Amino acid sequence: MAIKVASVEQVRQVEAAADRRGLSYAQMMQNAGAAACQLLLERMAVGESTRVLFLIGKGNNGGDGLVMARQLAQTSQADIHLYLLEARTDEVFSAATAVGLPWTAVADDETGSVLRGLAGKADVIVDALLGIGGRPPLRAKLKTALASVREAASETKPFVLAIDCPSGSDCDRGEIDEAALPANVTISFIAAKPGVLTFPAAASVGDLVVSQIGIEDKLPELQRLSTVFMDPSLAKSLLPARPLDGHKGTFGKAMLVAGCANYIGAAALAGEAACRSGAGLVTVATTRQLVDIVASNLREPTWLPLASVDDCIAEDAVQTVIEGARGYQSLLVGCGLGLHASTQAFVRSLLESDLPPLLLDADALNSLSRLPNFWQRLPAETILTPHSGEMARLTGRSTAEINGDRWAFARHYAERWQVVLLLKGAHTLIAAPDGRISVIPHKTDALGTAGTGDVLAGLIAGLRAQGLSAYDSARLGAYVHAQAGTIAAQAVGSSRSVIARDVLGRLGLAFAATEVG
């Protein structure tokens, strides 16, 4: 089963249901600690000289940390020390100390010198202070302790593992205390939490790993969760089939209506991305001027020249597109269209026609935003791919409002407009009309450059042509696109130097990684 995303309250409901069915809270804690221990051993070569500092809170999160510390002591020769922010006398603490683990309580370290000394020498720090119930701002004692750890470890830069979330995070809304300790890896239990996938908290999470800690997939309270985390196995399962005896008709036909004089590259980037998606045939419909410029360098698509005004697609081109798109399995409109009055009229007229499965991006969205009740004009299963600014124009809300509650906006408007809504950003969200949401795990600034959105749109259009549903083509396309961005950043040496062409050139590697799962 796919990894789910769940609010704090939903996770507690799943825990309670699992407990009623025989998986006790105590066993869940043992499983959580074991999973965290295994993760550390997979990520680090833990040996006799490895110094591990556990920051232990008073609640269940601290209990998970104590179980992890005990298991690490029993499976490695690591030099482990427990630092308690609150006194503990419970069974998990007794079990940890029974195997000889040394500990220090904050009450015995009034000046904080012991904590600073331990943090300054640590190779690994495990943050087990606050779990999913924590909320910023941190209490003074926790804030002071974390500030001391950050200062002491600023030069040595130990590996930081956060249990469930970096302490000081709001696991529902993504707020985080400024004193929180940024993690290299966060292990979350049962489900990913929306707050660790929302900025600013997401910036301190590092890699996110989810362990179900023995919860059965068939548990109804888990199955009912409609938001999923796009992990590699889920992405692999969505890939369109590639029969060895397939031909271009097998793999579908995609048409892209794109480009104007000011945005020549958009048609080329989207067109090549659609070709590299695996679609059997891609046709780019654009002005004659752009065909003459681009076609010699992009030889794989076929081209449909359109009537133009001022080097922009004219309203008169509508019938050409309608006739040309017959028999196609997807139609992308928007990349680099511009906002010429005639082009906007073209978009309006096109929506009144019988069309292949539709994807609207970029300036097609901006044209939509100027139409009252635009959603009533959209065919069923239309895909919209706005970034936050375009989403603000479509909804009449501010960009700050959109970014303040991306999950709620994505879900609400996908249902209200009856579309598949891909809300771009870190983390990208894909919402279906029936309330389902998929979240893309990647977060990289490599995609924050002009043209990468054209690559994404073309990629989704190509996948849609291969027979995937609107929802699956959008979420698989977003996953592969983000994977390509990550690979491109590694290839060029810096995320700041990535350009759209780098992402386009890594789509093959991204698909290869997805095929592995």
Side-chain angles (χ1 to χ4, degrees):
M1 187 178 71
I3 294 171
K4 299 299 184 78
V5 180
S7 69
V8 171
E9 179 57 32
Q10 288 172 325
V11 167
R12 287 174 173 157
Q13 291 172 2
V14 172
E15 288 175 335
D19 180 67
R20 290 192 298 270
R21 286 174 172 251
L23 182 65
S24 68
Y25 284 101
Q27 187 59 55
M28 282 186 264
M29 181 176 289
Q30 294 297 318
N31 293 348
C37 179
Q38 182 61 37
L39 176 61
L40 179 60
L41 293 174
E42 290 172 358
R43 294 297 180 103
M44 293 279 294
V46 177
E48 186 175 349
S49 62
T50 306
R51 290 165 294 196
V52 185
L53 170 62
F54 282 81
L55 304 175
I56 303 295
K58 66 178 181 179
N60 289 337
N61 195 252
D64 296 339
L66 288 168
V67 173
M68 177 187 174
R70 175 176 56 79
Q71 297 215 8
L72 187 63
Q74 293 171 330
T75 56
S76 77
Q77 298 297 314
D79 179 2
I80 300 169
H81 197 101
L82 310 176
Y83 192 92
L84 276 62
L85 266 291
E86 301 283 350
R88 296 189 69 122
T89 57
D90 54 329
E91 291 182 4
V92 286
F93 177 66
S94 298
T97 55
V99 298
L101 292 179
W103 59 278
T104 301
V106 69
D108 301 321
D109 185 28
E110 293 184 1
T111 65
S113 60
V114 174
L115 178 59
R116 288 191 295 274
L118 291 167
K121 296 177 182 178
D123 300 299
V124 178
I125 296 176
V126 178
D127 176 3
L129 292 171
L130 291 176
I132 59 176
R135 295 286 187 275
L138 289 166
R139 290 182 290 114
K141 182 163 57 175
L142 283 171
K143 188 183 287 281
T144 299
L146 285 173
S148 295
V149 170
R150 290 183 64 157
E151 181 181 0
S154 60
E155 293 188 8
T156 55
K157 293 181 171 39
F159 181 89
V160 177
L161 171 63
I163 293 185
D164 237 345
C165 61
S167 295
S169 305
D170 184 326
C171 285
D172 281 337
R173 297 189 58 82
E175 298 166 356
I176 190 168
D177 193 284
E178 60 184 8
L181 184 64
N184 297 95
V185 178
T186 295
I187 182 167
S188 194
F189 303 123
I190 300 175
K193 317 306 183 294
V196 301
L197 297 166
T198 303
F199 282 82
S204 294
V205 169
D207 293 339
L208 179 63
V209 176
V210 180
S211 171
Q212 288 189 248
I213 59 170
I215 305 288
E216 294 183 355
D217 289 348
K218 64 183 180 182
L219 189 72
E221 288 77 5
L222 188 62
Q223 286 191 329
R224 282 197 293 266
L225 298 174
S226 61
T227 302
V228 298
F229 184 76
M230 281 289 294
D231 67 326
S233 62
L234 175 56
K236 179 181 179 180
S237 73
L238 298 177
L239 287 167
R242 301 287 298 180
L244 293 179
D245 61 347
H247 49 80
K248 66 183 179 182
T250 306
F251 302 124
K253 298 190 290 184
M255 179 174 287
L256 286 61
V257 182
C260 71
N262 290 337
Y263 305 110
I264 295 171
L269 290 166
E272 185 172 343
C275 290
R276 293 190 180 278
S277 73
L281 174 68
V282 174
T283 297
V284 180
T286 189
T287 66
R288 168 62 70 182
Q289 295 91 329
L290 261 68
V291 173
D292 292 342
I293 294 170
V294 178
S296 60
N297 291 317
L298 184 58
R299 294 181 287 273
E300 291 78 12
T302 59
W303 297 85
L304 181 63
L306 300 179
S308 64
V309 176
D310 299 330
D311 294 340
C312 297
I313 295 173
E315 182 179 7
D316 294 347
V318 167
Q319 197 57 39
T320 304
V321 171
I322 293 170
E323 293 175 1
R326 288 181 184 141
Y328 280 67
Q329 286 73 49
S330 73
L331 176 64
L332 163 62
V333 182
C335 300
L337 280 187
L339 290 172
H340 191 283
S342 189
T343 304
Q344 293 187 61
F346 163 84
V347 172
R348 290 195 298 270
S349 298
L350 191 65
L351 293 178
E352 297 171 0
S353 312
D354 185 20
L355 301 171
L358 187 62
L359 189 161
L360 300 177
D361 181 57
D363 282 329
L365 298 175
N366 292 325
S367 293
L368 273 192
S369 68
R370 303 179 184 196
L371 295 175
N373 300 328
F374 67 82
W375 55 92
Q376 296 175 359
R377 304 174 183 233
L378 300 178
E381 292 283 284
T382 295
I383 303 171
L384 306 183
T385 59
H387 55 58
S388 295
E390 291 161 344
M391 188 66 177
R393 288 188 281 277
L394 289 168
T395 61
R397 310 295 285 271
S398 71
T399 302
E401 286 179 286
I402 301 297
N403 288 334
D405 202 350
R406 288 165 49 82
W407 298 80
F409 276 102
R411 178 176 277 113
H412 172 75
Y413 283 102
E415 181 179 358
R416 181 184 179 190
W417 298 339
Q418 288 295 291
V419 299
V420 169
L421 183 65
L422 187 152
L423 184 54
K424 291 186 279 196
H427 293 266
T428 290
L429 305 174
I430 302 92
D434 59 8
R436 290 176 295 162
I437 291 183
S438 291
V439 56
I440 303 303
H442 307 78
K443 48 180 186 280
T444 174
D445 61 312
L447 297 175
T449 186
T452 57
D454 303 316
V455 174
L456 173 61
L459 179 58
I460 295 171
L463 291 169
R464 186 77 168 105
Q466 294 172 67
L468 293 186
S469 70
Y471 183 55
D472 286 348
S473 59
R475 60 183 181 158
L476 177 60
Y479 181 91
V480 172
H481 179 256
Q483 183 92 310
T486 301
I487 296 170
Q490 295 167 346
V492 303
S494 171
S495 60
R496 72 177 68 244
S497 296
V498 171
I499 58 176
R501 192 164 64 246
D502 298 324
V503 178
L504 185 60
R506 271 73 186 187
L507 288 178
L509 293 174
F511 272 115
T514 305
E515 287 163 358
V516 172

